[in-house]
Amino acid sequence: MLSSYLTLAAILFCIGLYGALVKRNAVVVLLSIELMLNAVNLNLVAFSKYGAVPSLTGQMFTLFTIAVAAAEAAVGIAVLIALFRARGTVNVDEFDEMRR
Amino acid sequence: MFNVSLTGEFVAFFVFSVIIISGAVLMVSFTKVVHMVVSLAAVFIGVAGMFVLLNAEFLAFVQVLIYAGAVSILMIFGIMMTKHQDVEAEKGRSWHEALAAVGALALFGLLFYAIRETEFPVAQPFQPAQDNALEIGKLLFTGYVVPFELVSVLLTVAFIGAIVLAKKEAE
């Protein structure tokens, strides 16, 4: 059963990676990153039940990951709103000052 | 490898994984941003179901509360406060998309190969606690006090920072 959970998490992670690389709207990129974080959480909880030493440690790790992810989403949206005020767009292709 | 018997757990796993994968694929393929957020909420609820299957009831509750509730609403507010022409413009960038798809598929192939090849040690059966929330609370206030306090500081800093960043500057 463990390998089924791990495969599902791998699929979820790869879809999130594809979305984060391809999408242009910065909000959607943030959404894809949340998807990847969810895949990681699924792995942690699966190992906390089916791992070599089953314990609650994986669930504690997931709790802290969820807290950090919530903080990341809040700060990310705030940065996007500030960028939108300054530049009038959230298209990631147009934030390319550092390239020139 | 997947020779599992048709138990209730397997059926529930199958249903939840169909929800998760179809939600994720729809999220990548939709063009309207609001539809993406809704399908992402379906993914979050599917992951919460997986947590219930894995005897992590408290985490399932937290997942519904924080991800399906707070993060989805936050993203919808982010969309509303940024751009309203919320359809992804299609422009010729197909080589970039193809490259990203090849990279993601290659990563999946690598992970799948590693999962298949690894010999996982046979674990002793997991005894689910009588009260999952009680056990997690005990651990949180004994073994994990310092990370717990650090997370509270982190959340405070992050939310104050978010308010300062998103606040309108005084003229």
Side-chain angles (χ1 to χ4, degrees):
Chain A
M1 210 56 201
L2 175 62
S3 45
S4 321
Y5 284 104
L6 294 187
T7 311
L8 176 70
I11 292 174
L12 202 57
F13 189 88
C14 291
I15 294 176
L17 180 67
Y18 175 76
L21 289 179
V22 161
K23 294 296 176 185
R24 286 218 196 77
N25 192 331
V27 180
V28 182
V29 174
L30 272 183
L31 284 182
S32 305
I33 291 173
E34 296 293 329
L35 210 62
M36 291 157 78
L37 282 168
N38 258 283
V40 173
N41 287 349
L42 196 57
N43 262 357
L44 286 172
V45 180
F47 273 114
S48 105
K49 182 173 178 185
Y50 292 111
V53 187
S55 68
L56 283 181
T57 313
Q59 299 188 16
M60 302 302 302
F61 263 66
T62 310
L63 211 55
F64 290 121
T65 324
I66 288 177
V68 174
E72 173 255 329
V75 174
I77 287 288
V79 167
L80 282 186
I81 289 173
L83 262 178
F84 179 71
R85 276 212 196 97
R87 305 285 304 272
T89 179
V90 284
N91 189 337
V92 288
D93 284 349
E94 293 177 28
F95 303 137
D96 56 356
E97 269 93 59
M98 309 274 270
R99 215 195 221 173
R100 305 199 192 122
Chain B
M1 160 194 176
F2 288 127
N3 49 354
V4 275
S5 55
L6 200 66
T7 55
E9 191 196 358
F10 181 68
V11 173
F13 176 81
F14 186 76
V15 170
F16 284 131
S17 42
V18 165
I19 292 176
I20 289 175
I21 294 176
S22 55
V25 169
L26 282 178
M27 193 216 101
V28 174
S29 56
F30 274 145
T31 50
K32 283 200 165 182
V33 184
V34 179
H35 295 174
M36 289 180 186
V37 178
V38 172
S39 59
L40 197 75
V43 175
F44 289 155
I45 289 174
V47 173
M50 285 293 180
F51 285 170
V52 173
L53 277 185
L54 288 165
N55 301 103
E57 291 86 8
F58 180 69
L59 273 182
F61 186 72
V62 168
Q63 171 89 6
V64 170
L65 206 68
I66 293 184
Y67 272 113
V71 171
S72 306
I73 298 297
L74 187 71
M75 291 297 174
I76 286 177
F77 270 106
I79 292 161
M80 278 171 24
M81 294 187 76
T82 51
K83 204 72 177 175
H84 246 75
Q85 50 97 12
D86 46 6
V87 181
E88 289 247 315
E90 295 301 325
K91 215 168 41 180
R93 223 174 49 151
S94 50
W95 60 272
H96 180 258
E97 287 187 16
L99 213 63
V102 167
L105 274 179
L107 178 65
F108 175 69
L110 189 71
L111 288 174
F112 190 65
Y113 175 76
I115 291 168
R116 280 190 72 115
E117 289 298 303
T118 311
E119 202 63 51
F120 291 109
V122 181
Q124 58 262 51
F126 177 68
Q127 291 101 356
Q130 194 71 39
D131 191 345
N132 184 250
L134 178 70
E135 292 303 317
I136 283 188
K138 275 184 194 162
L139 264 182
L140 206 55
F141 284 107
T142 53
Y144 292 90
V145 196
V146 178
F148 179 69
E149 296 297 334
L150 283 178
V151 159
S152 68
V153 173
L154 172 77
L155 280 177
T156 314
V157 170
F159 290 139
I160 292 175
I163 291 168
V164 169
L165 274 174
K167 192 182 55 149
K168 266 207 176 71
E169 276 152 48
E171 323 279 288

